[in-house]
Every structure is written in C-alpha cells, then in structure tokens.
Amino acid sequence: MRKAGEKSALTGVIFAILLVALNLRPAISSIGPMLEPIRTDLSLTNGQVSLLTAVPVLCMGVFAPFAIIFNRRFGLKRSIGFLLAVIGVFTLGRGFWPSYFNLLLSSFFIGIAIAIIGPMLSAMIKRDFPTRTASLIGVYSFGMGLGATLAAGLTSVVYAASGWSTGLAVWSALALAALIVWLRMPESPSQGEAVADKPLISSSPWKDLKAWYMLLFFGFQSAFFFSMLTWLAPIAIDKGLSVLSAGAVVTVMTAVQIVCNISIPMLFSRYPNRFLWVLAILAFGTAGILLLMFAGTWAVWVAAALIGVALGGLFPIALLLPLDATESADEANSWAAMTQSGGYLISAFMPFIIGVVYDQTGNHDITLWMFLAFVLLMILFAYLLHRKS
C-alpha cells in the first residue's frame, strides 16, 4: 500500500510539473500569429510589435537569478504557485485592456514569473528525481512545447471568432488549471527517491568556464527558438501564405517540436554523447533554414517540420547540461539560474533586432542568415563544452 501511495504521489508531481511547464510559453507564443493584426490595429511598426516577445524574454534573463532567492526564502511550492497566479492574472488582463501599453506591461510581469519558475522546476527535478533527470526534463520540455503549440495553433482560431485580445487572454485558463493542481500536490513525493532540499555551499557557477559555455549555448538555442516563434509566420506570409496558413505553419513547427521534446530525451541514456546529439539535431535545422532561403512556397511546410526537430532536441539538451554538472538541487538551481539568465539576455534582443532589420530592408534575407549564424555558434559552444568535459 505504501509503494502504491508513493507511486500515486510521484505521478501527481509529474502531472503538476507538466501543467506548470504548459504555462511557460502560451503568453509569448500566442503573440507570434497575432503580430500582423496587432500591428495593424494599434498602428505599430514591426520593431514595436516585436517588443511584445522581446520584453518577456529579456525579463527571463534579468530575473532568473531571483529563483535562488525565492527557493531559499519561500520554497518551491509556494513560489511557483504565486508565480502561476501572476501569469494567469496578466494574461487575462490582455482581454480587458487591449492597448499597447498593457501588452508591454503584461509581457513584463509574465516574463518575470517565467524567469523564476524555469530554474526552480529544474531544481525540483534534481531534488525529487535525481536518477531520472533526462526523462523528467523530457516531460518539462514537452509541456513547454505543447503550450507553445496550442497557443500558436489555436490563437488564430479564437482571433477569427472574437478578435486578437480574446485570442491572447484565453490562455489564462491554463494557469488556473495548473494552479489548482499545483496547490493540491503533496509536499514530498517520495522520501525514498527525493533528496533533502537543503542549500549546499558550493563555488559560484559564474567562476566556472563550463557554466559559461552552457550559458552561451542556451542563449543561442533560445534566440533560435524565440526568433522562429516570432518571425516564422511573417516569413511564411512573405512567401505567399495567408495569415491562417502561416499560423498553421507555426503549428507544424511546434507540433514536431513537442514530439521531439519528449522522444529525444528518452534516447539520451542509450546514446549519452551530447555533442553528437547537437550535430545531428542541428543538421535538421540547417536543412530547414536552407529551404526557407532557396526553395519556393511549398517548402515552407517541410522547413517548419525540420526546424521543429531542431528546436525539440536543443531545448532538453540545454536544460540537462546544468543538471549533468551538479550534485544537489540547490546547486542545480544556481547553475540553471545562471545559464537561463545569461542565455535569455542574449536571446531577448534577437526578435527585436530582426524586426528592425525587416523594417529597413523589407525582406527576411538577413533574418535567415542570422539563423544560420545561430546554428554555427551553437556547434562551437557545444564543441567547447564537450572538450572541457
């Protein structure tokens, strides 16, 4: 009976982690398909409207170190519960006050909440599932990918029926569902598997060269993800697709991504070489970018699927690297906070820079070359990290 109870508690915790992760992308990914309607309705430039995705990612970089403070002062459960409520309230507010100022304000506070939740989920996985980190990171990244897919695909449907403000606000329902499950979750899933959640004194990751390589790798994979999430639909529109079809292209990309989010980490224990995984995954991404550069309209759908494979594999690897290098939950929290803080700061400006360049050039040729540069930089830092290891 005791083992059955522990198994049920573990299942409950895994489901709670999945629901929390589900909320870490919709408030951002729902903006992508709505860029053109928002820009037109509020009379904005491409640079201004791209700030709606750049601001939360910037906040995710600036405020990620606060995960350490929240964890030590309030604990994982209370902190994540409060931050879920923040995401829900500000997402809902977009429907009641559909102005550019409120969109920026909500992006700011949602970005802060996501910034702090991310490293804390990694710490929780390290604490409660120390022998199954790859599998649980797969659940974590699958939840994030599923949230992005739902928001990217269904926001356009809600927009067609009720307008873009409702299309953005509807995703507050996910936060409410996650909050209810999270607050009912038991404090400790299994005394047999969980390790003590006590801060351990260790050297700062900011002084470790390996942590810096992780930070830079995380930064450029994140830049690749958010830039694609923001600009793939406009690129598809430039190639001749309609707004609804462009939203469907983003859905294809994110759907493939979520399948890879959970399937690729399952293979890590059998084939543990992270560098070889990076090379294989980025081969798909490179092929997708080249199709967008040189092929016709038909290739957009194939390119979206290939890029989805790359995005789906890169994120679990980026999340696992700090867990591979640490021994305790507190140490994992510190390393994850550092890599995500610096990484998101790197990626925060990329969608905005692309928007400014697009305003100046009127096409996405430079955008696609930037994507290839991201690929080369990821290979470089993965190689340096592999050599360091």
Side-chain angles (χ1 to χ4, degrees), residues 284-310:
F284 285 90
T286 302
I289 296 168
L290 292 175
L291 283 177
L292 290 176
M293 294 176 77
F294 302 114
T297 304
W298 65 269
V300 174
W301 301 92
V302 179
L306 292 171
I307 291 167
V309 173

Side-chain angles (χ1 to χ4, degrees), residues 15-373:
F15 184 59
I17 290 172
L18 175 65
L19 284 182
V20 173
L22 200 65
N23 281 274
L24 300 186
R25 287 295 178 266
I28 303 173
S29 60
S30 60
I31 294 287
M34 296 295 98
L35 279 179
E36 191 60 27
I38 292 172
R39 188 187 67 80
T40 302
D41 196 26
L42 300 180
S43 301
L44 305 173
T45 66
N46 285 297
Q48 285 176 315
V49 76
S50 66
L51 282 176
L52 298 179
T53 52
V55 165
V57 182
L58 179 62
C59 291
M60 288 156 65
V62 172
F63 294 98
F66 282 79
I68 302 169
I69 298 171
F70 269 71
N71 185 24
R72 294 177 180 176
R73 181 165 297 183
F74 306 111
L76 292 171
K77 186 175 181 179
R78 282 190 294 173
S79 297
I80 293 177
F82 169 72
L83 295 165
L84 279 173
V86 170
I87 292 173
V89 168
F90 281 97
T91 303
L92 183 63
R94 291 173 166 180
F96 291 98
W97 187 13
S99 68
Y100 183 59
F101 174 77
N102 186 50
L103 290 176
L104 282 177
L105 185 70
S106 62
S107 295
F108 177 75
F109 283 103
I110 289 168
I112 292 174
I114 295 172
I116 300 172
I117 289 175
M120 295 183 82
L121 275 184
S122 292
M124 184 177 179
I125 290 170
K126 184 71 174 181
R127 182 194 69 183
D128 296 338
F129 304 93
T131 62
R132 292 186 249 173
T133 54
S135 298
L136 267 294
I137 285 294
V139 172
Y140 175 9
S141 56
F142 171 76
M144 293 181 68
L146 180 60
T149 300
L150 291 173
L154 298 181
T155 300
S156 296
V157 177
V158 180
Y159 156 72
S162 305
W164 61 262
S165 60
T166 304
L168 299 182
V170 71
W171 301 106
S172 60
L174 287 179
L176 176 62
L179 185 60
I180 292 171
V181 172
W182 185 261
L183 294 179
R184 292 170 60 86
M185 183 186 70
E187 284 286 348
S188 180
S190 170
Q191 294 301 324
E193 180 159 359
V195 295
D197 190 26
K198 297 179 180 179
L200 300 178
I201 299 174
S202 59
S203 59
S204 170
W206 294 96
K207 300 177 182 178
D208 195 308
L209 186 59
K210 183 188 291 187
W212 279 98
Y213 292 152
M214 292 179 191
L215 182 156
L216 292 165
F217 180 83
F218 191 99
F220 286 104
Q221 71 81 27
S222 181
F224 191 37
F225 171 78
F226 284 110
S227 297
M228 277 295 178
L229 200 62
T230 304
W231 290 107
L232 181 59
I235 289 171
I237 291 170
D238 279 0
K239 283 192 164 283
L241 297 182
S242 67
V243 172
L244 288 176
S245 295
V249 166
V250 178
T251 304
V252 169
M253 180 187 75
T254 52
V256 174
Q257 176 195 337
I258 65 170
V259 172
C260 294
N261 278 157
I262 198 164
S263 59
I264 291 178
M266 291 180 179
L267 301 173
F268 286 163
S269 58
R270 181 175 296 181
Y271 307 103
N273 191 311
R274 304 285 192 252
F275 180 61
L276 292 181
W277 274 110
V278 169
L279 292 179
I281 289 165
L282 285 177
F284 285 90
T286 302
I289 296 168
L290 292 175
L291 283 177
L292 290 176
M293 294 176 77
F294 302 114
T297 304
W298 65 269
V300 174
W301 301 92
V302 179
L306 292 171
I307 291 167
V309 173
L311 297 178
L314 288 170
F315 187 64
I317 291 174
L319 288 178
L320 271 172
L321 291 176
L323 303 189
D324 290 341
T326 55
E327 299 295 331
S328 70
D330 190 69
E331 191 180 14
N333 195 27
S334 297
W335 279 61
M338 174 189 163
T339 57
Q340 292 183 33
S341 174
Y344 284 132
L345 282 174
I346 290 171
S347 63
F349 297 100
M350 295 305 174
F352 175 68
I353 291 171
I354 290 170
V356 172
V357 171
Y358 182 51
D359 280 333
Q360 297 297 317
T361 63
N363 61 66
H364 281 292
D365 293 345
I366 295 177
T367 302
L368 296 170
W369 282 108
M370 288 176 66
F371 291 159
L372 284 180

